[in-house]
Each structure stands twice: as structure tokens, then as C-alpha cells.
Amino acid sequence: MGLLDRVFGPNTIDERFVDSPMRDNWYQASSYWPSSFSLITTVSEDGSTNIGPYQLTLPFEVIKERSFLVCSRKGSNTETNLHRNPKCAVNFVEFDRKKLKKIVGLGYPGQTTEEKMADNPYTLIESPTPGRGTADGCPLIIKEAFQVHEAHWDETFRIKDDGRTPEYLVLRLENILLKETWAKNIENGTRRMPNMPITFGFRDGEKFWFAERKNAFWFPTPTDKGAREESVLYEANRIDPEVRFTREACKQLTGIPKPFIKTALKGIIKQAKERGVTEVDREFVEMLNKERG
């Protein structure tokens, strides 16, 4: 391997494809799957909080219903705890190389909660959400996290349970907590992204691979593709889950300059909520336009 390969990685564009054997845990034993990971807190039998690291934590239901799909080893502390108490919190932390080795230890099988938490690098605190305290049977959350998804296991939503495969857990979201900086970042148009660590998972029976991302960047949404109302519709239905916009309503708003569209949408939502309207349609937009003269 030459110097350029060591610096930039091998150039494989002109290489031929070859078969990779289909092994168990194929995503990390037969291929490459870089992703973020979560730290899921659950309540152990003695009432203490357990932390379990999970690479396979994926958004599952994303509109109207909201949930994660988590793939868990059968018999893990997390899986065992959720079967006894479905309350959990899905914590996401920013990159801290010193803590990554400790995270590997938190995921090592065969440890009790007491054993693994003795080397826990994080600070556990009570949730600020009413009804989600330890007195309510809920786990503590991680203070160092930049976001926490408070959830519960939906035991009625069984994807596959044959006693042999991993446990597929549908965690239904109850609440999303963000540190103030990151909440304002989303509210004000998402100008930056948190420095989330990336994992390639467990490999070769002896290594957990991680990576630090470089600065995130963005490209503007294309303005010359698709119907113009699509971008308005997408933006409108992300602001307030209690008020939805129809496509026909958004067609009436395509003439608003892009820098002002979010402000205009918030104004329409405010009017809708004051009038008890949960769906903004073309007629409602036209009525507001007439009222403004």
C-alpha cells in the first residue's frame, strides 16, 4: 500500500466485484455499515439504570406514528429489562474519544448492570419530563447527551420472535428532548450538525471500529425539479404536528419568497389554531388572503 493509499484510502474504482460470504451479523461480518449509535437506558430489576450501546437503532415509523426499531441480542440487559418494564430512553452523545472505549465496555455481554455501570463514563440524571422520573418507573437519562428520545417498548408490535434470531424491539416515542442549542438550531433553520461519533461495529472477534466525522456540509434543495408546492408542503407539515397542510393549500403559497416562507407558514398555523382548524386547505388560505385584503 502506497503513501496515497494510506492517506486517502485505496482507489478501487476499476477493481472487479467479488462475492463476500453471507455470515451472521452480515452488516459487520460480510460488509461495511457505518452509522451512528445510541445509548439506551432502561430500568434493571433492582431499580437502577442500565446503559446499553446499540448500533442498530433505526427510525421506523416517522409520520403520525413515531418509533425506533432496535435490534437487540436476546438475553441482553436491555432486552430483559424492557420485557419487565417497557420504559426506556434513547440517548445520543457527541464525539469524545476518551469515552468511546468505555462505551465498548458497556456493550460487552455477560455483565450485570452493577458490573458494567461501575465503569460508566457518563452522568445519569432525572428526566425533566413530568411523569418520566425514577419514581414513575422510568430510567435516568444521560446528562452529556445532546438529544434523548423518551420511549417505551411496544410489546404488541412483534416483528419476529422465533426464539433464535435477535429481538426486534419497536420503541414508541413519547417525547424528544434536545439541549437548548440544538433545539434552537432546528427552529432557526439548521445551520450546523452535532459532532456525532460513527461506528463500523464489532469486527474480527476483537475490534470495535469508530470514526470521527469531519464538519457537516449541505447543498440547497433543487428549485428546478418537481412541483414547487412539494418544498412548501414538506416545510409546512414539519412545523406543528397539530396542523396539517394540503397540497392544494401549498400551491397557493408558492409565490412567497423563500426567505419568508417559514414565517408565513407559522402565521397561518397560528390563525388555524386560534380558529380550531387542524387541516389547512385551499379554502382556508384563500379566506386568510381575503381577510388581509
Side-chain angles (χ1 to χ4, degrees), residues 9 27 53 64-65 71 113 129 162 182 197 216 229 232 251:
Y27 67 98
K64 294 185 178 179
E65 300 293 335
C71 183
T113 294
T129 305
D162 58 10
W182 295 113
E229 70 268 13
V232 178
K251 284 182 180 179

Side-chain angles (χ1 to χ4, degrees), residues 3 13 16 19 28 35 41 46 51 76 93 107 122 127 130 138 141 160 179 186 191 218 232 243 271:
L3 176 61
I13 293 174
R16 66 189 181 93
D19 286 332
Q28 58 187 12
S35 68
T41 52
D46 64 359
I51 299 177
S76 70
V93 296
Y122 294 106
S127 167
C138 296
I141 63 174
K160 186 177 183 180
K179 289 293 178 67
I186 290 177
R191 298 301 178 187
W218 58 275
V232 178
V243 178
Q271 289 290 329

Side-chain angles (χ1 to χ4, degrees), residues 17 75 118 126 142 152 156 209 212 223-224 270 292:
F17 285 100
E126 292 278 353
I142 296 175
H152 66 271
T156 67
W209 282 82
E212 182 177 11
T223 57
D224 59 344
K270 182 175 182 293
R292 293 189 183 103

Side-chain angles (χ1 to χ4, degrees), residues 57-68:
T57 308
L58 308 171
F60 185 43
E61 299 163 295
V62 296
I63 297 176
K64 294 185 178 179
E65 300 293 335
R66 295 169 176 83
S67 65
F68 279 110

Side-chain angles (χ1 to χ4, degrees), residues 188-246:
N188 296 331
T190 313
R191 298 301 178 187
R192 54 179 174 163
M193 289 292 172
N195 184 19
M196 297 175 69
I198 303 299
T199 181
F200 286 85
F202 180 61
R203 293 178 178 270
D204 309 317
E206 61 178 356
K207 298 188 288 283
F208 274 92
W209 282 82
F210 293 93
E212 182 177 11
R213 70 156 182 82
K214 294 183 178 180
N215 290 335
F217 58 91
W218 58 275
F219 295 110
T221 305
T223 57
D224 59 344
K225 299 181 185 296
R228 291 186 62 194
E229 70 268 13
E230 284 291 343
S231 60
V232 178
L233 182 66
Y234 176 76
E235 185 68 38
N237 286 333
R238 293 175 66 235
I239 296 174
D240 191 319
E242 296 180 0
V243 178
R244 311 297 291 177
F245 283 69
T246 68

Side-chain angles (χ1 to χ4, degrees), residues 90-228:
V90 184
N91 303 261
F92 289 88
V93 296
E94 293 198 78
F95 183 88
D96 185 334
R97 193 182 183 101
K98 293 179 180 178
K99 288 185 170 64
L100 289 178
K101 189 174 182 179
K102 301 285 188 179
I103 290 174
V104 172
L106 289 172
Y108 202 78
Q111 301 179 93
T112 65
T113 294
E114 183 179 7
E115 289 170 339
K116 69 155 64 176
M117 296 301 286
D119 204 24
N120 164 40
Y122 294 106
T123 308
L124 293 172
I125 61 173
E126 292 278 353
S127 167
T129 305
R132 288 282 312 190
T134 52
D136 304 297
C138 296
L140 297 169
I141 63 174
I142 296 175
K143 180 180 180 180
E144 292 86 350
F146 69 89
Q147 69 178 5
V148 180
H149 298 78
E150 297 180 314
H152 66 271
W153 172 49
D154 185 350
E155 59 183 306
T156 67
F157 201 143
R158 298 296 181 99
I159 294 178
K160 186 177 183 180
D161 187 8
D162 58 10
R164 299 189 304 275
T165 58
E167 184 86 6
Y168 301 98
L169 304 167
V170 175
L171 305 183
R172 200 157 296 287
L173 266 63
E174 298 178 9
N175 192 44
I176 299 176
L177 301 174
L178 291 174
K179 289 293 178 67
E180 289 181 348
T181 293
W182 295 113
K184 291 177 181 177
N185 182 55
I186 290 177
E187 183 66 23
N188 296 331
T190 313
R191 298 301 178 187
R192 54 179 174 163
M193 289 292 172
N195 184 19
M196 297 175 69
I198 303 299
T199 181
F200 286 85
F202 180 61
R203 293 178 178 270
D204 309 317
E206 61 178 356
K207 298 188 288 283
F208 274 92
W209 282 82
F210 293 93
E212 182 177 11
R213 70 156 182 82
K214 294 183 178 180
N215 290 335
F217 58 91
W218 58 275
F219 295 110
T221 305
T223 57
D224 59 344
K225 299 181 185 296
R228 291 186 62 194

